[in-house]
Amino acid sequence: MKISYNWLKQFLKTKWTAQETEVLLTDLGLEVEGITDFESIKGGLEGIVVGYVESCESHPNADRLKITKVNIGKGKPVSIVCGAPNVAQGQNVPVATIGTRLYDEKGQPWSIKKGKIRGEVSEGMICAEDEIGIGKSHAGIMVLGENLIPGTPLNQVFAVEKDQVFEIGLTPNRADAMSHWGVARDLRAGLIQNEISIPIDTPSVSSFHVDNRSLRVSISVNQPELAPRYCGVSISGLEVKDSPDWLKNRLKAIGVNPKNNIVDATNYVLHEIGQPLHAFDLDKVKNNKIEVKTLKTGTKFTTLDGVERELHEEDLMICDDEKPLCIAGVFGGAESGVTYSTTNIFLESAYFNPVSIRKTAKRHGLNTDASFRFERGIDPNITEFALKRAVILIQEIAGGVVSSDIDDFYPKKIEDFQVFLTFDKINQLIGQEIDTGVIKTILTSLDIRVNNVSESGLGLTIPAYRVDVQREVDVIEEILRVYGYNNIESDSKFNVSVANSSVYDDYKVQNKIANQLVSQGFFEIMSNSLTTKAYVELAEDLKAEHNVDILNYLSNDLGVMRQSMLFSGLESVSYNINRKKTDLKFFEFGKTYHKKGDDFQEFKHLALFLTGSKTPDSWSHFQEKTNFFQLKAYLERIFERLGLSKIEYQSAESKSIAEGLIGKLNSKTVVEFGRVTTEILTHFDIDQEVLYADIHWNTVLDALEKKQLKISEIPKFPSTQRDFALLLDQGVKFDDLKATAFHTEKKILQEVDLFDVYEGENLPEDKKSYALRFKFMDNKKTLTDKQVDKVMKKLQTQFEIKFNATLR
């Protein structure tokens, strides 16, 4: 949010510098993220002076150029080559002297230098309106008044307003500070705490009066719960034109582009006191009738930006007797807006239901200055005041007469909040006793009325515009931010108790595995837990009835909590691939959310995504794509690091995962992984293979808590190894061979590895060759060849019996 310091000082006549004010505003919770300088004319006309053209002759080497001698108040006239058709002797003109910085159409600076043009010296530049930012004309040079003295700085001829603009990082709860008036209220409270008492000068509306009643407008509000207050008044005989410079400068300083005097007046009041207004061309309002109501879903409506939108049945609309005119509190319509031909207007000032406005704005993807304020909650008690303020301003800059009474629909007044504040609670939360007089002064400076004082506390009335202050703790926060967090004393000694924690705490285990994955080239991603309902249809194991719906969702793409980590991860994969990042290794710690009947459940997961090449392109090695076994190796390293062994794998196929495996530990699923199906990849416009693993993190944590830590001595005796090359049937699995080996020899067999697989020539069609390596070790003695040979014989026999294996 941008706040003009000059504008702010219209409310508070403070002598503080912008830098001093910045510190106080930040201490008050209105964090100033930066201060920028504003000039109504970029460059401030620095270096540009009044020049008198003493002579003007044709350029000897160019038909369209003139050589002028210009008096710029420094004795000898300077020579300037000029190409403007209207330059002539005897004129006063603006001259940009050597070294002056001018700005092009894009705001980029360039400097005036001494040089030669077609062989003739030029020592400056005679400027057109648009070249110095005073006007838009470029038909010729700008001719000034006759009575000016040569050498007079042009910024003494034309007023240049300079301002300093605060960029305030406004938090969503501070709806009361979304205007210059709101910031001034906070600043006043801070100044009072610094023993500086300055009253706030609020705009006067005492001059408002009704001139006639010739253009009465009938107002009806069909749904008061959506529009608790609605005011309107008619103005006739006005002239729509450009706004005066002072108004344009105020709006430009805060980044608002001027439109015309009517629209600018409503924007001015919006940013001045925080009340959004809207002006309708009254001649386009059928039968002078305004209805505030909702319309049927699917109704077409074209907004000011020229976009045709389909309305929702919950969208509150401002309509005339035949058609919709405006999306209430959000955006105006293309057919009822004010134009330069408008002479009569209906001016609206209202308080709309914040939830209704927020839903409508998000539903249509609109974010306007009006919706920004309505959806956070404005002051319902300044609706009529703001209307009068705008009417007076419009009459000042556009003329016109008030042609109706103010029609104020306000059936049920929005009351101020009542809070009882106890002194014990203040001391308990702040940790320091603050004088009661100081507390009352702070509350009064914040427009919080103290109704009664007792030994235990204060009875308070909170103004309705402070929608964020409705509880006792909220009031204490207000006291503390004005009193100053830095003024709270702290003890020189702090006592800290160290709590016992387990090495298996979730965050510790996550950090351990995250560090391992990062060292292996993975990047961590963090995806939104909100997702679209459409993803449920892509996976057979997800059910629509298990969705956790968001009641006040921002958009249809964020309407439910995710049931799977797969789709949010694939969104990141697709995003990167579309930006030429095709070799990816991602991991994400996250949660999934499920509704089972009336119960809600959430589960923790670790998801891995692999796609593209294993390694970057290089001349030194063969380029190889990521594959299933690479993913399985990463998973095994994770489980090995966690000390989880004896994970049993079984094949699994689903609509989401092809060629998949499920890993189970003590009959509980600990991991599911495989290749993402082509159908799902196509949905995300991904045309390369993606491997995905879903580790059930809750199961991992449960297993770690039950795991007994065992410590063994480092072996003193050497190990030995032997190999088998076995000819096997195609259906035999390595896991079965491994399990048989350990069942056969339980004492000295340490490891079984598969180091080669061969299928092809010189083998029968239904056969394959596995090369197995066995590692043996005895912790009590050195093994002999005789012992190992005996075990190998037993293994060979078992393989022959169980798997019809033969040695190659």
Side-chain angles (χ1 to χ4, degrees), residues 573-584 687-688:
V573 171
S574 176
Y575 183 90
N576 280 269
I577 291 175
N578 290 337
R579 285 153 183 80
K580 308 303 182 183
K581 300 291 184 181
T582 57
D583 302 334
L584 305 171
D687 57 4
Q688 62 188 59

Side-chain angles (χ1 to χ4, degrees), residues 142-210:
M142 184 178 186
V143 181
L144 304 174
E146 297 179 355
N147 298 325
L148 299 175
I149 299 172
T152 303
L154 206 63
N155 53 21
Q156 293 181 14
V157 179
F158 296 95
V160 179
E161 181 172 349
K162 295 186 176 182
D163 198 357
Q164 291 172 293
V165 181
F166 300 118
E167 182 66 47
I168 295 179
L170 193 68
T171 52
N173 63 308
R174 291 303 308 275
D176 64 293
M178 292 187 296
S179 65
H180 287 76
W181 188 19
V183 173
R185 286 190 299 241
D186 257 24
L187 186 57
R188 176 193 59 179
L191 290 171
I192 291 174
Q193 187 61 24
N194 283 273
E195 301 181 352
I196 302 173
S197 182
I198 303 176
I200 288 186
D201 293 333
T202 54
S204 173
V205 295
S206 59
S207 63
F208 173 85
H209 64 278
V210 177

Side-chain angles (χ1 to χ4, degrees), residues 1-163:
M1 182 182 70
K2 295 182 185 295
I3 294 294
S4 158
Y5 196 37
N6 289 348
W7 200 343
L8 191 63
K9 287 191 287 187
Q10 288 185 341
F11 289 96
L12 282 174
K13 301 296 189 289
T14 175
K15 296 181 180 179
W16 278 26
T17 65
Q19 287 69 30
E20 291 173 314
T21 305
E22 171 196 10
V23 174
L24 181 55
L25 288 175
T26 300
D27 288 344
L28 289 166
L30 301 178
E31 182 182 0
V32 178
E33 298 175 341
I35 301 178
T36 56
D37 293 326
F38 169 78
E39 295 172 323
S40 57
I41 300 176
K42 195 169 182 62
L45 300 178
E46 293 293 334
I48 304 173
V49 299
V50 175
Y52 177 75
V53 182
E54 294 185 348
S55 66
C56 179
E57 300 176 354
S58 297
H59 194 295
N61 302 318
D63 295 337
R64 296 185 180 181
L65 299 180
K66 304 286 181 64
I67 299 175
T68 64
K69 296 292 183 181
V70 184
N71 179 5
I72 60 171
K74 292 186 176 181
K76 184 180 178 180
V78 296
S79 177
I80 299 177
V81 177
C82 180
N86 64 328
V87 63
Q89 182 180 350
Q91 295 174 333
N92 278 332
V93 294
V95 177
T97 57
I98 294 173
T100 300
R101 290 165 66 89
L102 299 180
Y103 296 85
D104 62 20
E105 296 177 352
K106 297 181 179 179
Q108 297 300 314
W110 59 283
S111 297
I112 300 295
K113 298 178 181 179
K114 180 179 179 179
K116 287 187 177 182
I117 301 177
R118 293 290 183 93
E120 297 295 329
V121 174
S122 185
E123 302 173 280
M125 175 178 169
I126 303 175
C127 302
E129 287 182 0
D130 63 333
E131 291 170 331
I132 56 179
I134 289 179
K136 298 179 180 180
S137 173
H138 195 71
I141 61 167
M142 184 178 186
V143 181
L144 304 174
E146 297 179 355
N147 298 325
L148 299 175
I149 299 172
T152 303
L154 206 63
N155 53 21
Q156 293 181 14
V157 179
F158 296 95
V160 179
E161 181 172 349
K162 295 186 176 182
D163 198 357

Side-chain angles (χ1 to χ4, degrees), residues 537-558:
E537 300 172 3
L538 299 178
E540 60 189 12
D541 54 333
L542 304 182
K543 305 296 182 184
E545 59 267 23
H546 295 163
N547 275 333
V548 178
D549 294 314
I550 303 301
L551 298 179
N552 187 23
Y553 56 84
L554 298 176
S555 71
N556 290 328
D557 290 337
L558 303 172

Side-chain angles (χ1 to χ4, degrees), residues 16 232 240 275 364 372 508 512 538 763:
W16 278 26
V240 180
Q275 172 66 52
H364 295 288
F372 179 81
K508 291 182 180 179
K512 179 190 295 186
L538 299 178
L763 290 183

